[in-house]
């Protein structure tokens, strides 16, 4: 179970990095960003990416906990 869990964790982390990079928008770089003074509502594809990111984060944390739990076995 260990190698499968580790491979899944690596795959989810790569997907998470890609999804986060897709969300970088507007001017400036993603590393520094710019403060926006206006309120924006997420719609369409942006909302889908946001929810998918949250799901991947939950999955990543769950897999990391399982990996740490089964590491000693």
């Amino acid at each position: 179970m260990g190698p499968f869990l580790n491979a899944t964790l690596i795959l989810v982390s790569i997907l998470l990095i890609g999804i986060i990079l897709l969300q970088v928008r507007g001017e400036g770089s993603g590393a520094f960003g710019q403060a926006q003074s206006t309120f924006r509502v997420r719609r369409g594809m942006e909302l889908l990416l946001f929810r998918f990111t949250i799901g991947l984060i939950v999955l990543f944390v769950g897999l990391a906990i399982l990996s740490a739990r089964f590491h000693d076995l």
Side-chain angles (χ1 to χ4, degrees):
M1 182 178 208
F4 174 74
L5 199 58
N6 288 337
T8 307
L9 190 61
I10 290 170
L11 180 66
V12 169
S13 65
I14 291 170
L15 282 172
L16 192 56
I17 290 169
I19 292 296
I20 289 173
L21 288 175
L22 281 174
Q23 291 184 26
V24 175
R25 64 180 186 278
E27 300 170 16
S29 66
F32 303 108
Q34 283 186 324
Q36 292 183 350
S37 59
T38 59
F39 179 74
R40 292 190 62 226
V41 176
R42 291 182 173 95
R43 293 189 176 140
M45 188 60 138
E46 188 177 4
L47 180 62
L48 181 68
L49 282 175
F50 179 72
R51 289 183 177 164
F52 190 59
T53 304
I54 291 173
L56 279 178
I57 290 170
V58 169
L59 182 63
F60 180 80
V61 170
L63 286 172
I65 290 170
L66 283 176
S67 178
R69 182 97 168 134
F70 291 120
H71 179 69
D72 295 331
L73 296 178

